[in-house]
Amino acid sequence: VRVAIFATCLGDQLFPDAVVASVRLLRWLGVAVTFPEAQTCCGQPAFNAGHHAEARSLARHHLRVFAGSDPVVAPSGSCAAMVRCHYPPLLEREAEHLDAARALAARTHDLASFVTDVLGVSDVGADLAGERVTYHDGCHALRLLGVSEAPRRLLRGAGATLCEAPGHDVCCGFGGLFAVKHPEVSAAIAAAKHPGIDASGAATLTSQDAGCLMQLAGSLRRTGRRIRTVHLAELLWDGIARANGQPREGGSRAP
Amino acid sequence: VRITTERFHEQARAALADPELRAALDRAADGFVRRRSDAMAALPTLEALRSQAAAVKAHVLDHLDHYLERFAEALEAVGGHVHFAADAAEARQLVLDLARRYDVSTVVKAKSMISEEIGLNQALADAGVRAVEGDLGEFILQLAGDVPSHLIGPAIHWTRPRVARLFAEHLGSDPEADAQALTEVARTALREVFLSADMGVSGVNFAVAESGSLVLVENEGNIRITTGAPRVHVALMGLEKVLPRLADVPTFLALLARSATGQAASAYVSLLTGPRRPGEVDGPEHLHVVVVDAGRSAVLADPALRDALRCIRCGACLNHCPVYQRVGGHAYGWVYGGPIGAILDPGLLGLPRTRELPQASSLCGACSEVCPVKIPIDDLLVEHRRRAVERGLTGRGERWAMGAFAFLGERPGAWAAAANTARAATRLRRDGDWLTGALAGRLPGLGAWLRERDFPAPAARSFRQRWRDGLRHEPSARRDAVGFAGTGGAGIDGYGTGGAGSGGAGIGGAGTGGDTDGEGQA
């Protein structure tokens, strides 16, 4: 099995540890990983803001970068959903790109679903025994891709204690540009999740989406909360290292 | 009607700073969400009903002229009258003319969003007609000179203590009265109105084309009296409210009650077919239905927006919207707030004055998920944003930034260089792993973020750099290989060998790794 990693622009710039962990996790599971270096951004910020000419330019670029037939794996539900759900309608009137868009949509996956559904692995061989973890459902993973079980299965498979937070499926308020266009509302939405996260009793908050984690970690930290916030891929890779007698890697960001 | 949709930003900020609104919204939302969820869980045919309801509505919208004509014919056949109003002013005038024709001095009103939309109360007052709201929530708002903030709970932003103070001031009741006592106070005050009103004005939940019937749902019983006791009943409806057959009604009743309040059925469902007939003991002598366009036909004629007219005003999208739940309905600046307002208002009022509303969403999609008639609300939000860009209604700065973003996005070398520069510049300001509020206002682009929350300091090296610097050829640890290589030791290079068959355990690629647990590991 060979896949192309779709680092996503947030992953590339702000959460490289999560992408590195994703690559290592995939290789650990016997998957060869390529990184098409010309990748930039899938265009979601432009698409969501209504700048569809710009979004189409970026989508065409993304199609060229990820040409071929390898599955594409992103450590993000939101960016995977952009390609899977929005590329085909976005390029509907471009006959020369539409087939490629549909094909790419079909072979683009979020990391957790790729591991559980394509590789058929629930237990990645990580040791998270005794870790109290709460999983935040990114909205696009949950509602556009229908992903809610895959990440939880991986956490349970690693022996983590899953502590569901009330409101785990409610938006964190990030919303891309929304977070800076409406900063007060965006932050108020994040703050509304704090009581649920507190009540979960978890020591670690994880998600598949860097955007949500950035929002929640920044908001939790601003209010003095000290729960560890870490991307699912890093959490799993840490657990694999621990299972194999390695000290935990740095890079996990505790607010 | 006061329209302040342009001022969403400042209205939202004011709402966030209002602790009483916060308390009221929290209290209401918890109940709405939980009760709806329980009710839907007990409805195994939910998805089938949603699909059916969406299909019926879509069909009606595709043949609206036909069904409106059928409805008008059927209603006239049972003695009712149908009037068409092109806009709010015409609708107001029609009601005023009817009030004059029937020599009306007191009007009792049922809760009707379209009467709020057209500003009927003010028009009646200006014409010297006394109009009193008979719905408890609307009664509160009318006493206070306030306007609704929710489709089904118009006074949802009012807490009980505030209502007690209001009633004490206007009706002389106990300022500490509890909810039941307050309801009693309103009931007593309204009794006289119900008995003396010459005209009842209501909205319409569904208008049935085949029979000319009006369907109205409620929990207080006031609609029943409003539409049955006075001599004249005037019903206002948006032109999208028609359903083809009586047989379609149960599907919508099942979805509306559950979506709105989590009830299996509303306490009262009125099915009104024509005015009082000879031999009947109650019901109005005269029944008039005013079918209001007010921008709806333009939405209907717009294939990309038409789905918004399927709305049955259940309010579920408001109850599940993270933005609405923070800022409440008034922030949106018009009768229809929340997600449905953000897609409907631009169609009814025009995009220039409502362009802020579709921006007021994180596109989380919770609205679309709960919509009983499957309106793709988040897609329509994006469609309005697209039109705003197309029509030049977005700021020049944003357009310039998006242009630059796309330009760089097609040029990976320049993209990486720009990103590296931005990261390095931002890192200079970091405090440990974080950028903190101390920098708010001093970092272009991030200032708005940092006012409200911290931001993770960008990594020293991007993923791209780490890939080039070694990750590309990093000897990888493989669970099917012997020994754990960690992240830098000796191991089997899954990348270099194509990932197949190189491990000691002879597993040919990850697909066969299955669910086995770390076999062959040291």
Side-chain angles (χ1 to χ4, degrees):
Chain A
V1 180
R2 189 178 67 185
V3 306
I5 193 91
F6 164 22
T8 80
C9 53
L10 273 186
D12 182 30
Q13 297 298 320
L14 294 171
F15 289 77
D17 290 332
V19 193
V20 169
S22 303
V23 170
R24 288 175 178 159
L25 174 67
L26 288 165
R27 286 175 174 169
W28 166 251
L29 296 172
V31 177
V33 180
T34 65
F35 173 65
E37 293 194 41
Q39 62 182 276
T40 53
C41 171
C42 63
Q44 187 180 180
F47 177 79
N48 285 352
H51 298 263
H52 289 195
E54 287 81 358
R56 269 190 286 273
S57 299
L58 291 161
R60 286 189 292 259
H61 176 74
H62 193 84
L63 288 177
R64 286 192 294 274
V65 170
F66 289 97
S69 58
D70 288 348
V72 175
V73 176
S76 159
S78 190
C79 305
M82 175 67 197
V83 177
R84 282 184 75 100
C85 304
H86 296 318
Y87 270 22
L90 182 63
L91 296 169
E92 201 170 22
R93 292 196 200 127
E94 302 190 4
E96 68 276 31
H97 297 117
L98 186 55
D99 286 346
R102 287 185 178 140
L104 183 62
R107 63 186 163 90
T108 296
H109 309 269
D110 65 286
L111 178 71
S113 303
F114 182 78
V115 171
T116 60
D117 300 353
V118 179
L119 299 183
V121 174
S122 299
D123 176 0
V124 298
D127 174 12
L128 295 175
E131 297 227 16
R132 300 175 62 78
V133 179
T134 189
Y135 179 80
H136 163 74
D137 288 283
C139 293
H140 296 163
L142 181 66
R143 300 200 183 83
L144 293 178
L145 301 181
V147 174
S148 67
E149 183 50 27
R152 291 178 169 83
R153 197 188 301 172
L154 295 177
L155 288 167
R156 281 194 298 264
T161 305
L162 205 55
C163 308
E164 294 289 3
H168 59 81
D169 55 352
V170 175
C171 182
C172 69
F174 173 61
L177 287 179
F178 173 75
V180 287
K181 282 188 180 179
H182 291 282
E184 298 88 359
V185 182
S186 167
I189 294 171
K193 288 186 67 84
H194 293 176
I197 294 168
D198 291 344
S200 73
T204 300
L205 167 70
T206 191
S207 179
Q208 265 208 102
D209 273 285
C212 308
L213 285 171
M214 190 162 88
Q215 166 86 346
L216 287 172
S219 162
L220 289 163
R221 188 174 190 275
R222 179 65 62 95
T223 51
R225 287 173 169 79
R226 288 292 178 261
I227 186 172
R228 175 187 180 218
T229 313
V230 60
H231 191 279
L232 180 71
E234 283 174 84
L235 187 61
L236 292 172
W237 182 249
D238 283 355
I240 290 168
R242 193 210 278 181
N244 291 277
Q246 302 283 312
R248 214 180 86 189
E249 273 234 14
S252 301
R253 214 183 275 275
Chain B
V1 187
R2 209 157 147 264
I3 301 174
T4 58
T5 44
E6 300 91 341
R7 293 164 52 202
F8 178 84
H9 269 275
E10 54 184 290
Q11 287 162 180
R13 273 195 294 270
L16 288 173
D18 179 346
E20 188 150 3
L21 175 65
R22 178 75 267 124
L25 285 172
D26 281 345
R27 197 182 147 83
D30 284 353
F32 275 137
V33 170
R34 186 172 34 78
R35 285 197 295 269
R36 178 194 168 279
S37 166
D38 292 348
M40 291 302 186
L43 188 69
T45 54
L46 171 63
E47 278 312 305
L49 285 177
R50 286 178 76 206
S51 298
Q52 192 188 342
V56 169
K57 278 286 188 180
H59 170 80
V60 168
L61 294 173
D62 285 346
H63 305 90
L64 194 57
D65 50 347
H66 169 80
Y67 286 114
L68 280 173
E69 274 177 41
R70 291 291 84 74
F71 169 70
E73 287 166 10
L75 185 64
E76 306 268 349
V78 293
H81 303 279
V82 177
H83 313 264
F84 289 90
D87 54 28
E90 263 189 51
R92 286 192 300 265
Q93 195 54 51
L94 278 163
V95 180
L96 291 177
D97 290 347
L98 290 168
R100 200 165 300 130
R101 188 202 300 182
Y102 294 113
D103 197 19
V104 169
S105 56
T106 297
V107 167
V108 66
K109 283 190 66 221
K111 185 179 86 64
S112 152
M113 296 311 281
I114 197 157
S115 80
E116 301 285 347
E117 177 186 332
I118 65 172
L120 184 61
N121 285 2
Q122 190 60 50
L124 288 168
D126 292 347
V129 178
R130 176 187 179 221
V132 181
E133 295 284 354
D135 172 271
L136 179 56
E138 292 281 3
F139 178 74
I140 292 168
L141 298 180
Q142 190 177 27
L143 274 186
D146 197 359
V147 293
S149 71
H150 189 284
L151 292 175
I152 63 157
I156 201 172
H157 56 290
W158 278 70
T159 54
R160 185 201 49 81
R162 201 169 148 215
V163 174
R165 292 196 298 272
L166 179 80
F167 280 14
E169 183 188 333
H170 291 269
L171 305 169
S173 57
D174 175 8
E176 304 291 323
D178 64 11
Q180 193 176 341
L182 290 169
T183 310
E184 225 22 79
V185 171
R187 198 183 160 90
T188 306
L190 283 168
R191 181 63 43 172
E192 173 270 318
V193 179
F194 283 125
L195 293 176
S196 65
D198 317 286
M199 179 192 271
V201 172
S202 75
V204 172
N205 289 102
F206 309 104
V208 182
E210 70 174 357
S211 62
S213 307
L214 305 175
V215 183
L216 288 106
V217 304
E218 55 164 334
N219 284 317
E220 296 179 13
N222 66 298
I223 293 185
R224 213 153 250 212
I225 307 177
T226 301
T227 59
R231 290 183 283 124
V232 185
H233 174 202
V234 176
L236 299 164
M237 62 177 260
L239 51 71
E240 78 281 15
K241 293 280 183 177
V242 65
L243 293 179
R245 305 166 303 159
L246 277 167
D248 297 314
V249 173
T251 301
F252 286 90
L253 291 179
L255 287 169
L256 177 56
R258 286 176 173 86
S259 301
T261 52
Q263 293 167 288
S266 304
Y268 300 89
V269 177
S270 299
L271 188 68
L272 310 170
T273 307
R276 184 196 302 201
R277 285 170 231 182
E280 289 181 340
V281 296
D282 56 13
E285 293 161 31
H286 309 283
L287 169 61
H288 292 264
V289 175
V290 178
V291 180
V292 183
D293 184 339
R296 288 164 176 76
S297 57
V299 178
L300 183 72
D302 191 330
L305 301 182
R306 175 182 288 191
D307 290 347
L309 293 180
R310 285 189 217 155
C311 177
I312 58 172
R313 308 285 191 269
C314 70
C317 61
L318 280 59
N319 299 334
H320 291 76
C321 176
V323 175
Y324 177 92
Q325 285 309 324
R326 292 303 109 200
V327 303
H330 289 168
Y332 293 83
W334 198 41
V335 188
Y336 307 110
I340 186 65
I343 62 169
L344 206 49
D345 299 356
L348 299 182
L349 300 174
L351 194 51
R353 68 190 307 188
T354 56
R355 64 178 184 274
E356 289 302 329
L357 303 186
Q359 305 291 338
S361 166
S362 63
L363 299 181
C364 78
C367 47
S368 307
E369 187 179 53
V370 297
C371 178
V373 287
K374 294 191 169 181
I375 301 172
I377 299 177
D378 45 344
D379 290 345
L380 294 184
L381 290 167
V382 172
E383 173 62 14
H384 283 306
R385 293 177 181 187
R386 189 192 68 75
R387 291 177 184 207
V389 170
E390 191 177 75
R391 294 171 61 176
L393 298 172
T394 42
R396 196 169 298 177
E398 179 178 313
R399 271 179 285 156
W400 184 88
M402 282 297 169
F405 173 66
F407 179 87
L408 290 170
E410 290 188 275
R411 291 160 180 80
W415 169 275
N420 290 345
T421 307
R423 250 185 17 262
T426 308
R427 279 177 61 79
L428 293 175
R429 322 297 287 274
R430 75 188 190 279
D431 175 6
D433 281 340
W434 291 90
L435 303 176
T436 66
L439 296 172
R442 289 166 52 199
L443 277 182
L446 273 179
W449 180 288
L450 290 170
R451 271 205 310 278
E452 303 291 333
R453 66 231 112 148
D454 293 345
F455 190 82
R461 289 185 306 156
S462 66
F463 173 79
R464 188 181 315 267
Q465 288 168 322
R466 290 176 65 178
W467 177 265
R468 284 183 185 160
D469 292 352
L471 184 66
R472 178 206 299 265
H473 295 300
E474 179 180 281
S476 66
R478 287 271 303 260
R479 78 183 308 188
D480 56 353
V482 177
F484 182 73
T487 54
I492 292 160
D493 187 346
Y495 178 73
T497 57
S502 58
I507 294 172
T512 59
D515 223 346
T516 55
D517 186 15
E519 54 189 307
Q521 283 172 27

